[in-house]
Amino acid sequence: MDTNSDGQPAGSYEERNDLAIRSAASDPLAEPRANPQPQSPKSPKSSHTKQASISRLQEAQVQPSSKQKKSKDNGSSAKGALAKQVADGPLPNFIVKRNELFDKLKRQSQAERREKEKPEINVVIDLGLDEEGKRKPDMPAAAKAWETTPGIFLRHLDKDVASEIVVAKVDGQLWDLDRPLERPCRVSYISFSTTEGRNVFWHSSAHVLGEAAECQYNCLLSHGPPVDQGFFYDMKIQDDQVIKESDWPPLENTASKYFKEKQPFERLHVSIPNLKEMFGYSKYKMYYIENLLPKEGSTVYKCGSLVDLCLGPHIQNTGKIKAFQIMKNSSCYFRGDKNDDSLQRIYGVAFPDKKQMTEHKKFLEEAAKRDHRKIGTEQELFFFSELSPGNAFLLPHGTLIFNALQKLLRSEYQKRGYQEVQSPNMYDVDLWRTSGHWQHYQEDMFKFEIEKKTWALKPMNCPGHCLMFRHRERSYRELPLRMADFGVLHRNEASGALHGMTRVRKFQQDDAHIFCTHDQIGQEIEGLFDFLKSIYGLFGFPFKLKFSTRPENYLGDIETWNQAEAKLKDALDGFTASGGGQWELNEGDGAFYGPKIDIEISDALHRDFQCATIQLDFQLPQRFELEFMTAETAPKSKVVEAKSAKPNGQQEASQKSKAPTKTKESEMGDVKLESTNGITDKPKETGVGRARPVMIHRAIVGSFERFMAVITEHFAGKWPFWLSPRQVLIIPVGKDFFEYCEQVQKLLRSQKMNADIDLSGNTLPKKIRTGQMQQYNFIFVLGAAEKEARAVNIRNRDDQESQSKGEMVPLEEAIRKLKALKKERRLINVI
């Protein structure tokens, strides 16, 4: 399946503000993210060299004010290890010149705006939900273009609701509350409680951290994006000095002053020439300007003394930030390239309420206890080795969990009409050229040469499944054809991006592709919704659906897209009507080859993870010229003519056993099509009596490795019985009962249960305590009474009353109840 393995949709807030979040891959302390980020282009030999930037940095140093005392040990002091300028002292020259240019351009922009016509426009205000969770009626409002801002309409919201608003949305696009509207539109509001709201808030907080660091250290800033649990800022400090924990309090104190000042965030669009003049002192900003910005320029934001390259949007002013704390720091590489500059990275978190900071710290403590890496080590589930970085070694107990998950999926496949297949692990890269992945994804693939040809390990299964569909004639009677594949996949993740089991290089997923007709799309989507409820219900995961529609760089015709989106919307509405909950609309966030539905689950700590995805694909069937025979019959003359000509279909069939032959390339949108193995550069029209299938990419748990990490933390290592690698521990009271314990173990294992015996020389209390620490679901303590009665004394992991002395249960009854507990896959550990 061709998906982002961590789940952020293309065009999301994070991706748009990701001028260089790709460099997060260079930092082993970086927060795990839901998707692999695309690699930025190699840094060219810019005229702004490293030495030139450092020279600028050195020139920017100012003499300490009279209130500052010179340090005796290279600038270190009791308050911090680095030489720092007093925050209210004189600003460095590069800041002064940069800000003077900003102010000049701002005045010009304001003058131009005053001259603009300000016609009346109609605005529709989304007032959100009422106390019962029902949507309030929209409110029409009169406004003036280039004058009225979304913030003006906050007075129409409840006071408590309005106080939590972080940013607006205008026709689905995130928009500053103080940015004037430009056209008739629909305005809605985003609070801090949403993912988008937190990202905007944390992005703004990162700017304040950058402002404090720039004034404290006279450093060169790189970039400062939001991440899953806050934000960070990267910077180059003079003489390659490093941040220490003792440097955090002065930065926090400086930032707190800026919050009290309620510094507004000012937005300004600047041309490329002016951007180069504004940021010419920094090689890092120049790299972004020269390589990542459009030719018409980009926006910058100013808060206090900081002016920074940024797409925004931001909160209204720094006064919205009530709690701020630096969490950690580390070193990283610019752009994630180990051959580039080493930078300092400072992580922080901020909230609009101090209580939220307190709750966040408690959350971090609990998350640390549940960390899958910690539990994986304690329970001997998996480990990693430097001899194969990014590839998990599943130990016996971890493999038991892995196999239980696959068994669950296979049982559902059998009921739902899936056919399990196996496809090769490596392919000639001509396959990936045909699919389009080579043009978009080759940097994330493992490539090698064999017999003067370039091959690659597969990072997804979809192209291989297309070959499997195409290897023989297909009939409409075979559709829908549901192919499932647990094959091993490899993706060349950056070393710094690897994070336990959540980001690995080798993984398997419950990948499946459904080939169906257009008329079958709706029923297949409904079937997948039922599949989701069945699987996620077993783990106690609530989930929500996000519907992503046609992006700007879509492929195919609009009519086909409209039909597909309508079918998905009908299926989503049906899901809601049946009590499945509301779904969210992400306009323009679909894949270039079709609309999609992303599914986010919420764990015990209320963290959201995207594991499942449902994607419609019209393009791969065209690229691989997939066809099936319809119920429609071609005229006899046409059939005779087709047989004599023997085009495409039969010629392809005769060529499929031959080695791929690369021919020319052509363009479809922004994706190159390659002609290989009988697959032509321009998709041909299907003949009479033939049609192309629609391809549905789908995954339910996604990567098994990542899903194992999620459920490890969700259950905190206390596995439900059916999934547990340690279901029963049998403890003899003494040596006289070893034989009876072995009999009980044999009976349990004959019923395919994971049963162990502790025959060590430890005391009975220590054996019981060890079993409890290892999270065995049940502990059987067997002595004379149990042997005589052919019974077992059961201690239940989740029943505290049974810990001192368990309940005696006949052996046959205990086995029967355990079998039922396992078969029914119940979450509650009760028999």
Side-chain angles (χ1 to χ4, degrees):
M1 174 168 293
D2 186 8
T3 65
N4 284 337
S5 65
D6 281 346
Q8 294 292 344
S12 66
Y13 176 83
E14 292 87 344
E15 194 167 314
R16 291 188 299 102
N17 285 279
D18 226 14
L19 288 180
I21 198 170
R22 301 138 179 152
S23 70
S26 68
D27 176 16
L29 294 179
E31 300 291 339
R33 296 182 59 81
N35 290 324
Q37 300 297 332
Q39 296 296 311
S40 57
K42 284 290 183 181
S43 179
K45 295 290 185 179
S46 171
S47 58
H48 295 75
T49 63
K50 175 179 178 180
Q51 186 58 47
S53 291
I54 297 301
S55 296
R56 295 277 188 143
L57 191 154
Q58 292 171 334
E59 291 172 4
Q61 298 291 336
V62 296
Q63 297 297 320
S65 65
S66 58
K67 295 182 181 181
Q68 283 183 280
K69 295 182 179 181
K70 293 185 178 180
S71 173
K72 296 181 181 179
D73 53 356
N74 297 323
S76 64
S77 67
K79 290 186 177 180
L82 295 177
K84 296 179 287 289
Q85 173 189 337
V86 174
D88 56 359
L91 293 172
N93 291 333
F94 74 93
I95 294 181
V96 173
K97 292 179 180 178
R98 177 191 67 196
N99 294 3
E100 286 176 349
L101 179 56
F102 176 91
D103 293 339
K104 174 185 174 182
L105 297 176
K106 182 75 173 180
R107 289 191 295 270
Q108 293 176 1
S109 175
Q110 291 172 335
E112 293 171 1
R113 183 174 297 174
R114 284 193 293 270
E115 298 299 319
K116 279 181 177 288
E117 292 186 11
K118 299 178 177 60
E120 297 283 343
I121 57 175
N122 294 321
V123 176
V124 176
I125 308 299
D126 182 347
L127 296 178
L129 305 178
D130 60 21
E131 293 180 355
E132 298 179 356
K134 296 181 180 179
R135 185 162 294 282
K136 295 180 180 179
D138 292 339
M139 186 189 77
K144 284 188 176 183
W146 302 104
E147 182 175 287
T148 306
T149 67
I152 290 176
F153 300 115
L154 285 176
R155 64 178 182 270
H156 297 293
L157 274 65
D158 293 339
K159 186 176 180 181
D160 292 341
V161 174
S163 64
E164 296 178 357
I165 298 303
V166 170
V167 71
K169 264 192 173 181
V170 175
D171 290 337
Q173 177 186 354
L174 288 170
W175 199 275
D176 300 280
L177 288 170
D178 291 335
R179 178 183 172 187
L181 302 172
E182 300 171 4
R183 59 187 181 277
C185 58
R186 178 183 179 85
V187 176
S188 57
Y189 296 97
I190 308 297
S191 69
F192 180 82
S193 62
T194 66
T195 300
E196 286 181 311
R198 285 192 296 274
N199 283 333
V200 170
F201 190 92
W202 284 337
H203 187 189
S204 301
S205 303
H207 277 239
V208 180
L209 172 60
E211 180 186 4
E214 197 175 60
C215 288
Q216 291 280 59
Y217 308 134
N218 297 340
C219 58
L220 298 178
L221 299 176
S222 171
H223 70 299
V227 289
D228 286 348
Q229 296 298 328
F231 52 88
F232 68 76
Y233 222 116
D234 287 354
M235 61 200 70
K236 181 70 173 181
I237 303 178
Q238 187 181 11
D239 299 328
D240 289 329
Q241 297 181 81
V242 298
I243 301 290
K244 296 181 180 178
E245 190 169 346
S246 58
D247 296 303
W248 299 358
L251 277 175
E252 292 170 342
N253 292 336
T254 300
S256 66
K257 295 178 183 178
Y258 301 154
F259 304 148
K260 295 175 183 177
E261 293 173 2
K262 297 184 179 181
Q263 299 171 349
F265 281 86
E266 303 175 67
R267 180 181 185 273
L268 180 67
H269 190 277
V270 181
S271 67
I272 292 295
N274 282 328
L275 286 174
K276 289 183 177 180
E277 181 181 352
M278 187 176 288
F279 296 103
Y281 61 87
S282 171
K283 68 168 287 187
Y284 311 114
K285 302 299 183 184
M286 289 299 296
Y287 171 79
Y288 303 143
I289 293 168
E290 293 173 352
N291 295 279
L292 300 177
L293 297 185
K295 60 183 179 181
E296 60 270 18
S298 186
T299 52
V300 298
Y301 277 79
K302 180 182 180 182
C303 70
S305 65
L306 177 70
V307 177
D308 205 1
L309 275 173
C310 184
L311 295 176
H314 285 284
I315 60 177
Q316 288 177 296
N317 62 70
T318 59
K320 301 288 185 181
I321 304 171
K322 303 300 183 183
F324 176 96
Q325 185 170 332
I326 294 174
M327 305 303 292
K328 60 186 178 183
N329 64 270
S330 65
S331 296
C332 62
Y333 295 114
F334 179 56
R335 302 183 308 108
D337 186 347
K338 65 181 180 180
N339 297 315
D340 219 317
D341 290 359
S342 176
L343 306 179
Q344 291 297 295
R345 173 170 294 173
I346 303 176
Y347 288 91
V349 69
F351 294 94
D353 188 291
K354 291 182 179 179
K355 291 181 180 178
Q356 291 171 310
M357 178 67 82
T358 302
E359 293 170 357
H360 180 70
K361 291 178 179 179
K362 292 180 180 178
F363 162 81
L364 292 178
E365 291 175 3
E366 181 61 27
K369 296 176 185 176
R370 293 171 177 257
D371 191 318
H372 74 279
R373 295 167 297 179
K374 174 178 176 288
I375 294 173
T377 300
E378 293 171 348
Q379 297 190 1
E380 294 188 330
L381 304 180
F382 60 84
F383 73 93
F384 290 89
S385 169
E386 289 300 320
L387 296 177
S388 186
N391 301 304
F393 290 76
L394 286 186
L395 295 168
H397 290 104
T399 303
L400 287 172
I401 298 172
F402 184 93
N403 290 342
L405 292 173
Q406 281 201 349
K407 183 179 180 180
L408 168 65
L409 270 299
R410 284 195 169 102
S411 68
E412 290 291 330
Y413 286 166
Q414 190 172 20
K415 291 188 293 185
R416 299 174 184 275
Y418 282 80
Q419 302 177 42
E420 190 174 341
V421 300
Q422 294 185 19
S423 52
N425 274 356
M426 67 180 200
Y427 294 90
D428 187 314
V429 297
D430 281 345
L431 175 80
W432 307 109
R433 291 193 176 99
T434 300
S435 68
H437 291 99
W438 192 249
Q439 295 85 340
H440 291 272
Y441 207 80
Q442 64 171 297
E443 293 302 319
D444 296 306
M445 298 170 70
F446 288 101
K447 306 174 284 287
F448 45 91
E449 299 292 324
I450 297 179
E451 295 179 349
K452 298 182 180 180
K453 282 191 175 183
T454 303
W455 298 71
L457 295 176
K458 66 177 179 182
M460 64 277 298
N461 288 308
C462 31
H465 288 184
C466 287
L467 294 183
M468 298 180 85
F469 182 93
R470 204 190 63 167
H471 91 282
R472 67 167 174 81
E473 196 76 69
R474 298 286 181 180
S475 166
Y476 73 94
R477 294 185 178 89
E478 297 179 72
L479 305 184
L481 178 60
R482 307 179 185 100
M483 290 186 188
D485 196 332
F486 291 128
V488 175
L489 305 175
H490 289 84
R491 296 183 183 176
N492 189 15
E493 301 284 0
S495 59
L498 302 175
H499 184 85
M501 295 272 278
T502 62
R503 183 73 74 85
V504 291
R505 287 173 172 161
K506 171 262 177 187
F507 62 98
Q508 292 172 255
Q509 58 184 11
D510 66 323
D511 201 0
H513 297 93
I514 302 172
F515 299 90
C516 65
T517 67
H518 283 262
D519 294 337
Q520 294 169 336
I521 292 175
Q523 69 185 44
E524 289 303 304
I525 300 301
E526 290 173 3
L528 291 175
F529 288 161
D530 182 70
F531 202 161
L532 289 168
K533 288 191 289 186
S534 297
I535 297 299
Y536 289 158
L538 291 173
F539 298 93
F541 285 138
F543 65 91
K544 53 189 176 184
L545 308 177
K546 294 185 177 181
F547 177 33
S548 299
T549 57
R550 185 180 68 246
E552 292 183 3
N553 64 334
Y554 70 94
L555 296 183
D557 61 276
I558 291 182
E559 183 179 353
T560 302
W561 273 86
N562 290 341
Q563 291 175 358
E565 289 178 358
K567 290 181 184 295
L568 288 185
K569 184 177 182 300
D570 288 344
L572 286 164
D573 289 338
F575 177 76
T576 299
S578 64
Q582 296 291 330
W583 52 273
E584 298 179 25
L585 177 64
N586 282 339
E587 292 186 14
D589 276 346
F592 65 87
Y593 48 76
K596 65 176 181 174
I597 299 172
D598 291 321
I599 300 94
E600 288 186 351
I601 60 176
S602 182
D603 74 354
L605 295 182
H606 306 292
R607 296 173 298 184
D608 291 337
F609 299 91
Q610 182 189 321
C611 294
T613 187
I614 302 170
Q615 303 179 359
L616 295 190
D617 188 347
F618 314 111
Q619 305 311 315
L620 280 186
Q622 287 187 340
R623 288 174 172 276
F624 286 92
E625 295 187 357
L626 305 185
E627 296 181 359
F628 63 91
M629 293 182 292
T630 68
E632 181 183 1
T633 304
K636 187 174 182 180
S637 59
K638 295 284 185 181
V639 174
V640 173
E641 180 182 339
K643 285 184 177 180
S644 62
K646 290 185 69 176
N648 298 332
Q650 295 180 26
Q651 289 180 358
E652 283 181 20
S654 65
Q655 293 175 359
K656 284 170 186 172
S657 61
K658 299 179 181 180
T661 303
K662 179 180 175 181
T663 60
K664 63 180 182 179
E665 295 181 356
S666 69
E667 296 286 338
M668 176 184 279
D670 64 339
V671 182
K672 296 179 181 178
L673 298 183
E674 298 282 339
S675 175
T676 62
N677 199 20
I679 303 167
T680 56
D681 57 337
K682 293 183 179 180
K684 294 180 174 60
E685 294 294 328
T686 57
V688 177
R690 307 185 72 82
R692 296 211 191 284
V694 177
M695 189 175 183
I696 302 177
H697 305 252
R698 79 105 190 99
I700 304 298
V701 304
S703 159
F704 283 103
E705 286 79 0
R706 184 167 184 267
F707 193 72
M708 282 180 63
V710 171
I711 60 177
T712 299
E713 298 185 4
H714 177 62
F715 294 123
K718 295 184 177 182
W719 302 97
F721 185 77
W722 69 271
L723 193 59
S724 177
R726 294 178 172 88
Q727 294 173 331
V728 178
L729 176 63
I730 306 167
I731 300 176
V733 172
K735 294 182 179 180
D736 294 341
F737 310 107
F738 280 12
E739 183 178 352
Y740 180 54
C741 288
E742 290 170 350
Q743 291 176 10
V744 173
Q745 181 189 42
K746 186 176 181 179
L747 285 172
L748 291 173
R749 287 186 171 180
S750 70
Q751 299 299 323
K752 299 181 180 179
M753 296 182 199
N754 304 320
D756 301 317
I757 305 177
D758 188 346
L759 301 178
S760 69
N762 293 327
T763 63
L764 180 61
K766 186 170 183 179
K767 289 180 180 180
I768 294 173
R769 180 56 180 160
T770 300
Q772 292 170 339
M773 294 293 291
Q774 293 176 331
Q775 302 299 340
Y776 278 90
N777 297 73
F778 300 98
I779 297 177
F780 291 0
V781 179
L782 307 184
E786 289 78 19
K787 180 180 180 180
E788 182 178 349
R790 193 170 172 74
V792 290
N793 186 289
I794 302 177
R795 285 169 164 79
N796 184 334
R797 181 193 65 196
D798 299 337
D799 181 5
Q800 292 302 314
E801 293 183 359
S802 70
Q803 298 305 311
S804 57
K805 182 175 176 60
E807 178 185 2
M808 185 179 292
V809 180
L811 178 59
E812 288 72 17
E813 180 183 346
I815 292 176
R816 177 172 51 81
K817 290 182 176 180
L818 289 175
K819 284 175 62 179
L821 180 61
K822 181 179 180 182
K823 182 179 179 180
E824 296 167 14
R825 295 190 173 99
R826 299 199 299 264
L827 282 176
I828 300 175
N829 200 56
V830 175
I831 59 173

